[in-house]
Amino acid sequence: MCGIVGYAGPRDAQQVLIDGLQRLEYRGYDSAGIAVVNEEESLQVFKDEGDVTKLTGSMPVIEGHIGIGHTRWATCGKPSKENAHPMIDCENCIALVHNGIIENRTELRDRLENEGHVFTSETDTEVLVHLLEEYYDGNLRSALARALEDVKGTYAVAAVRKGSNEIVAARKENPLIVGLGSEENFIASDVTAVLNYTNKVIYIEDGEILTLTPSGVEIFNDKGEKINKDYITISWTAEDAQKGGFEHYMLKEIFEQPLAIHNSLLGNFDKIMSSDFLSSQDFSSVKLIACGTSYNASLVGKYAIEYLAGIPVTVELASECRYSSETREDPLVILVTQSGETADTLAAARLAKKRGHRTLAVTNVVASTITREVDNVLYTQAGPEIGVAATKTYVTQLMAMYMLALKLGKSRTLRRDEIHRYTHGLKSMPRTVSNVLAKSDEISEAVGMLTNAQSAFFLGRHINYPTMLEGALKLKEISYIHAEGYAAGELKHGPLALLDSNTPTVAACVWDMSYEKMLSAISEVAARDSPVLGIGIEGDRDLEAIVDRIISIPEVEGILSPIPLTVAVQLIAYHTARKRGCPIDRPKNLAKSVTVD
């Protein structure tokens, strides 16, 4: 959530900061601002409620080469110009931006107000800039270090001071990177903000604090000792994160899924299937931990691992993991997080390590925080994803689940011919998904029954129960239609009471062990006058006979059907939201990476 960008170098800082903030818009925000140390060595701060375009429309030209910027998502204090970042001190000498939350803000604010500091916002962040003012004695980094000693909470923070050519920054449980250029350097919440200028990135870790100038970067650990860190070269470019002619990032990323699946297989399959990766003899059960969309992928993983490997699997919401009790079991704990920065999932990883469990992270972001918290890492290889609603990162998480299930099954339950069959099915997925994408216009026509609905149901069974949870989540995320995903067998336990001609149903019905049960459930729904959009295998006349509209997918192994079905429900959600005129890439109240628990 929120976005930080900072620049020190010969370029026009104002333009670099605005460019960086626009590239961070996908993270979600409701206000924006920048602070620039101008040529007269004064501090110019401009901020406002609303988007970056609104900010630039009211902002004069500022001459200066050092500055910081921020996109804020309101958590403490409503969206307003006063609550937007950067925050400034009483003397208008120091400007500061902050992601995270200051838990002891009330105590600190009372203390600072008693000492004469005047507050102008409702935010927790403002206590930080006044602490900097309080402790500044000629060394801004030293002042920041002292200020953070007073703070309880989480942060990625950056500050500048008039008359200085340096930016100071630090992190704790919120992402922060340094971009290295030639006689110029950058900080940001995400590499996408700096890829126009450099692909050399240093990932800052918890407890580290830094000073950044045009000529270099100095990084210090939590003991105040200067440390050397190597940079990582980012393999994708700024162009990879652009729309490429598509109307929305989300649609572009949906259509990138065949390539993402190919890259995931190419980068992972041989590694996972090798003899030295995860011996199933080391554990007797698996625990999958995740949030949101990643939780739905984990539910698919449960079905896949239990079906292919015969290993018992539990799935737990990361936000609830801290309340669970330790058991005698010693499971393999798999932590699934697209960004690698999800606060609740990181907390769950630390708890698993504390309990002595073996841990594996499934993530898309190289060198993200989760990769330093676990024993093993599996990168999903999806490439950059800008749309807030996860699409290709979700599908590549599914691929990771299937590859892990196949690996575990190889040494336990699967015959050689079965391994070959499922391997062929996975390696055919780019073509299978391309066939679904070719039906995009047909799906656009089929969603008419959804566009004016207030509520909708998504029904599935077995491994496609979580697929329909994901379909409902996508619809509610970007179209703002209330949607619920249900296991079809639960219809008689409440949902049937809500079905009528104004409540459409999307139902997945494929040729697997649940097929007959799904046909019966769909018939019950149709009998209540609910319009039904069915998703089934090409040529299924029985399904076609009982639904109002049908979307066909190629025939695949039943256990692998969530992948093409997922692409279908993504397109259903996208086309519904587009017809309703919704802001698809930036849905209200949502952010790409949830870094505050």
Side-chain angles (χ1 to χ4, degrees), residues 367-383:
S368 53
T369 302
I370 194 75
T371 66
R372 298 185 290 277
E373 302 283 350
V374 295
D375 299 314
N376 298 97
V377 180
L378 178 57
Y379 290 112
T380 54
Q381 315 274 357

Side-chain angles (χ1 to χ4, degrees), residues 43-267:
L43 186 65
Q44 299 293 314
V45 176
F46 292 91
K47 58 183 183 176
D48 206 348
E49 180 185 357
D51 61 23
V52 176
T53 302
K54 178 182 177 183
L55 181 71
T56 57
S58 61
M59 188 190 309
V61 174
I62 311 168
E63 300 292 338
H65 304 293
I66 310 291
I68 54 176
H70 192 262
T71 51
R72 176 179 184 257
W73 196 251
T75 54
C76 184
K78 63 185 179 181
S80 69
K81 182 174 183 177
E82 293 74 21
N83 290 335
H85 298 203
M87 292 291 159
I88 55 175
D89 68 332
C90 298
E91 301 298 324
N92 197 32
C93 290
I94 300 172
L96 177 143
V97 295
H98 164 237
N99 294 345
I101 189 164
I102 308 303
E103 296 170 0
N104 59 336
R105 56 187 173 274
T106 302
E107 169 193 333
L108 291 173
R109 183 165 180 150
D110 288 346
R111 187 191 98 191
L112 289 162
E113 285 181 329
N114 288 335
E115 293 169 355
H117 292 271
V118 177
F119 282 72
T120 60
S121 80
E122 305 168 287
T123 69
D124 55 338
T125 295
E126 195 176 358
V127 301
L128 282 171
V129 76
H130 289 294
L131 285 171
L132 277 182
E133 180 183 20
E134 183 86 0
Y135 292 132
Y136 182 73
D137 60 359
N139 186 316
L140 192 59
R141 179 180 62 81
S142 175
L144 180 60
R146 290 188 64 188
L148 294 177
E149 289 176 359
D150 291 351
V151 164
K152 296 178 182 177
T154 63
Y155 50 80
V157 61
V160 293
R161 192 179 192 281
K162 75 174 186 178
S164 172
N165 73 338
E166 68 181 13
I167 300 171
V168 298
R171 72 154 277 178
K172 179 184 177 186
E173 297 181 24
N174 275 256
L176 188 69
I177 62 100
V178 169
L180 302 176
S182 177
E183 297 301 317
E184 61 179 358
N185 293 294
F186 309 78
I187 59 165
S189 300
D190 193 323
V191 295
T192 54
V194 304
L195 278 177
N196 248 9
Y197 309 99
T198 181
N199 64 348
K200 296 177 180 178
V201 169
I202 297 173
Y203 285 84
I204 303 304
E205 299 188 30
D206 283 357
E208 293 178 349
I209 189 167
L210 65 94
T211 300
L212 180 144
T213 66
S215 58
V217 180
E218 292 184 327
I219 303 173
F220 301 82
N221 63 21
D222 56 4
K223 298 182 178 65
E225 301 164 337
K226 187 176 178 180
I227 57 176
N228 295 315
K229 301 190 71 170
D230 294 330
Y231 67 80
I232 292 172
T233 301
I234 303 300
S235 59
W236 42 277
T237 67
E239 288 70 30
D240 292 331
Q242 299 307 302
K243 290 182 184 177
F246 286 87
E247 186 175 356
H248 297 95
Y249 283 114
M250 182 180 179
L251 186 62
K252 171 180 177 277
E253 289 155 3
I254 289 173
F255 273 81
E256 287 176 339
Q257 287 177 128
L259 179 61
I261 292 169
H262 171 79
N263 289 340
S264 186
L265 285 164
L266 189 66

Side-chain angles (χ1 to χ4, degrees), residues 60 137 410 432 507 556 576:
D137 60 359
K410 179 181 178 181
T432 300
V556 295
T576 302

Side-chain angles (χ1 to χ4, degrees), residues 248-535:
H248 297 95
Y249 283 114
M250 182 180 179
L251 186 62
K252 171 180 177 277
E253 289 155 3
I254 289 173
F255 273 81
E256 287 176 339
Q257 287 177 128
L259 179 61
I261 292 169
H262 171 79
N263 289 340
S264 186
L265 285 164
L266 189 66
N268 289 312
F269 190 83
D270 289 342
K271 169 189 172 182
I272 291 171
M273 299 304 287
S274 67
S275 59
D276 58 349
F277 186 85
L278 286 189
S279 169
S280 61
Q281 306 308 314
D282 294 342
F283 45 86
S284 58
S285 65
V286 173
K287 176 179 280 191
L288 288 154
I289 301 175
C291 301
T293 284
S294 297
Y295 179 76
N296 293 337
S298 298
L299 288 172
V300 173
K302 168 185 168 64
Y303 285 99
I305 293 170
E306 290 184 340
Y307 184 87
L308 296 177
I311 299 175
V313 180
T314 57
V315 186
E316 195 163 9
L317 286 166
S319 57
E320 292 296 310
C321 187
R322 69 192 67 187
Y323 308 119
S324 65
S325 298
E326 190 168 3
T327 66
R328 292 182 181 178
E329 290 189 355
D330 185 18
L332 168 66
V333 177
I334 303 176
L335 302 121
V336 188
T337 161
Q338 176 273 135
S339 67
E341 303 291 349
T342 310
D344 286 320
T345 311
L346 289 169
R350 290 161 189 155
L351 179 61
K353 292 291 288 183
K354 182 179 178 181
R355 290 175 174 176
H357 301 320
R358 187 172 177 183
T359 52
L360 168 68
V362 176
T363 186
N364 190 47
V365 181
V366 175
S368 53
T369 302
I370 194 75
T371 66
R372 298 185 290 277
E373 302 283 350
V374 295
D375 299 314
N376 298 97
V377 180
L378 178 57
Y379 290 112
T380 54
Q381 315 274 357
E385 185 176 73
I386 304 303
V388 168
T391 53
K392 63 179 181 176
T393 55
Y394 178 78
V395 164
T396 52
Q397 284 176 348
L398 295 186
M399 291 299 295
M401 294 297 108
Y402 284 117
M403 286 186 277
L404 289 169
L406 199 57
K407 164 65 178 182
L408 296 174
K410 179 181 178 181
S411 59
R412 293 174 66 95
T413 59
L414 294 178
R415 301 187 310 270
R416 183 174 298 180
D417 64 306
E418 291 175 316
I419 294 170
H420 176 77
R421 192 171 81 243
Y422 293 124
T423 297
H424 176 74
L426 289 177
K427 291 187 175 181
S428 299
M429 276 301 159
R431 182 173 66 253
T432 300
V433 167
S434 294
N435 288 336
V436 180
L437 293 172
K439 298 177 183 290
S440 180
D441 290 343
E442 177 185 328
I443 293 172
S444 178
E445 294 177 7
V447 300
M449 66 177 69
L450 291 167
T451 52
N452 295 316
Q454 297 298 311
S455 292
F457 282 98
F458 283 67
L459 298 181
R461 288 194 80 142
H462 189 233
I463 200 165
N464 283 313
Y465 161 48
T467 303
M468 302 313 275
L469 290 176
E470 176 64 12
L473 178 60
K474 283 291 160 284
L475 190 72
K476 70 180 80 171
E477 279 180 323
I478 64 168
S479 76
Y480 308 150
I481 296 172
H482 172 256
E484 293 294 332
Y486 263 91
E490 292 296 296
L491 274 172
K492 293 187 178 70
H493 298 279
L496 274 178
L498 299 175
L499 292 180
D500 57 28
S501 60
N502 297 313
T503 309
T505 297
V506 180
C509 184
V510 300
W511 293 338
D512 67 1
M513 65 182 71
S514 69
Y515 179 70
E516 298 294 340
K517 297 290 188 184
M518 276 305 306
L519 286 179
S520 297
I522 292 168
S523 295
E524 284 191 272
V525 169
R528 271 73 180 177
D529 294 326
S530 173
V532 180
L533 175 57
I535 312 174

Side-chain angles (χ1 to χ4, degrees), residues 20-56:
L21 293 181
Q22 288 174 330
R23 293 177 184 278
L24 292 175
E25 285 186 307
Y26 73 94
R27 296 173 67 87
Y29 72 106
D30 47 41
S31 59
I34 67 169
V36 176
V37 180
N38 73 7
E39 296 300 329
E40 286 74 36
E41 296 188 340
S42 64
L43 186 65
Q44 299 293 314
V45 176
F46 292 91
K47 58 183 183 176
D48 206 348
E49 180 185 357
D51 61 23
V52 176
T53 302
K54 178 182 177 183
L55 181 71
T56 57

